[in-house]
Amino acid sequence: RVLFRSREDNRKEPVGIPTGFKTLDYYLSGLQKGIHLVAAEPGFGKTTFCLNIAVNSSKKGYPVLFLSFEEPIENLALKGLCLQTKTDLKKVKDGQIAPVVFRQKTQQALSNMERIYFIEGGAKTTVPNIKAKALSIMNKYKKDKCLIIVDYTQKWASRIDSRRDFRHVVSALAGELRDLSKRLSSPVLAISSQNRSDRGGAKLSSLKESGDLEYDGDSVWFLTENTDSQTSSPARGINLVIEKNRYGDKGKIPLIFQPQYGLFSQEARDW
């Protein structure tokens, strides 16, 4: 299979949209069209991890549409600035860092994020709405693909006015997102919650209302605790477990999560 495409300067880039995590891009050949699911128990930084990928993709010139049903979009934008500059988010919110200092520190970070479009999801948000916005930003930046992030699948499904069984609503939404991905030739990175009984594990069956989700996903990732990590508090060792991958092998990637900055990075050791 083709993993990377050559550039004129002889460097290699993944075929799909780069995530900024070298080993993840190796396993997936970048984010290609299809649905990529990421799940974890609360507190493991699912949204923040996807935000890291959004920033990294934007830096590479790709437009990103970040649909949030969880956090206010202003907070997500602030997090994006803090993770790039290693600025303590809590100190910014508490006013311990002067606004003028923060603005000076984040000038370049703002430029890096100019291609990220945050949208606050609501009861009237539909897949056709998202398709129209995605096409608009692809046209603006003259790109043939963009990254679409959904935070998160079950929350969106709960906003859909339907008398159908919730599991069927989740399944139908996943089908619409798959069709969206195919029509735009763009990857959809969708966060999924886990069943309470299986939280913290890396089982496909743990995806809440899993049904067709585990089958619809072209790749499925889990963020789990890395008990072997040598990191010291407040940093945390996290494993990114690729439990399903239609583009290649499954695997486990050790990451370091610095929650005060909202920053994920790959551990120096190889897989």
Side-chain angles (χ1 to χ4, degrees):
R1 64 193 176 100
V2 178
L3 288 174
F4 295 87
R5 59 174 178 266
S6 296
R7 291 165 47 103
E8 292 181 359
D9 57 6
N10 295 321
R11 287 186 294 171
K12 301 290 185 178
E13 285 192 346
V15 171
I17 295 177
T19 66
F21 296 92
K22 182 179 179 181
T23 309
L24 179 59
D25 284 337
Y26 172 81
Y27 277 119
L28 301 173
S29 306
L31 288 172
Q32 302 181 62
K33 68 178 180 181
I35 299 178
H36 306 270
L37 296 169
V38 56
E41 64 178 298
F44 272 66
K46 300 183 292 294
T47 298
T48 303
F49 180 63
C50 289
L51 183 58
N52 276 248
I53 290 177
V55 170
N56 294 338
S57 300
S58 176
K59 285 180 179 180
K60 290 294 185 178
Y62 289 95
V64 180
L65 195 158
F66 198 116
L67 175 61
S68 175
F69 288 88
E70 278 285 277
E71 290 193 46
I73 58 177
E74 296 82 2
N75 196 52
L76 288 171
L78 182 59
K79 278 186 174 182
L81 296 175
C82 288
L83 70 88
Q84 292 183 74
T85 55
K86 289 191 175 182
T87 303
D88 192 308
L89 178 64
K90 188 175 185 304
K91 289 183 178 180
V92 174
K93 288 185 172 182
D94 290 346
Q96 297 181 48
I97 298 177
V100 64
V101 174
F102 185 64
R103 282 197 298 270
Q104 291 172 348
K105 190 175 183 180
T106 58
Q107 275 189 320
Q108 182 58 50
L110 276 168
S111 177
N112 292 338
M113 291 177 62
E114 68 176 8
R115 294 175 182 83
I116 304 177
Y117 288 76
F118 295 102
I119 297 178
E120 197 161 329
K124 295 183 179 181
T125 304
T126 65
V127 172
N129 294 155
I130 300 307
K131 178 184 176 183
K133 186 62 179 178
L135 284 170
S136 174
I137 63 176
M138 287 164 64
N139 181 62
K140 178 178 180 179
Y141 292 104
K142 296 179 172 55
K143 288 289 186 178
D144 60 357
K145 62 172 71 76
C146 71
L147 172 59
I148 300 169
I149 299 176
V150 177
D151 185 16
Y152 64 92
T153 311
Q154 288 83 359
K155 180 72 80 171
W156 190 355
S158 71
R159 303 290 181 91
I160 297 174
D161 184 17
S162 175
R163 297 179 182 179
R164 291 174 294 169
D165 180 81
F166 185 60
R167 179 167 174 167
H168 293 158
V169 176
V170 172
S171 177
L173 177 58
E176 286 190 72
L177 290 174
R178 172 171 284 282
D179 184 61
L180 173 68
S181 173
K182 287 182 178 178
R183 289 181 180 277
L184 300 183
S185 295
S186 298
V188 174
L189 179 57
I191 295 174
S192 174
S193 56
Q194 288 183 289
N195 296 311
R196 289 182 182 276
S197 59
D198 294 316
R199 281 180 179 173
K203 297 180 181 179
L204 294 178
S205 59
S206 73
L207 300 177
K208 194 171 183 181
E209 309 298 338
S210 60
D212 295 329
L213 270 184
E214 58 189 272
Y215 300 107
D216 283 334
D218 292 280
S219 72
V220 183
W221 324 338
F222 294 91
L223 296 172
T224 64
E225 183 179 4
N226 182 358
T227 56
D228 296 326
S229 177
Q230 302 300 311
T231 56
S232 56
S233 182
R236 300 173 59 188
I238 301 287
N239 279 325
L240 175 62
V241 181
I242 304 173
E243 188 59 25
K244 179 182 178 181
N245 182 13
R246 285 184 176 146
Y247 302 100
D249 298 328
K250 299 191 293 183
K252 183 187 295 184
I253 305 168
L255 303 174
I256 298 173
F257 178 33
Q258 299 178 73
Q260 71 274 35
Y261 308 136
L263 178 65
F264 276 87
S265 56
Q266 190 172 325
E267 284 197 355
R269 68 186 186 190
D270 212 358
W271 70 95

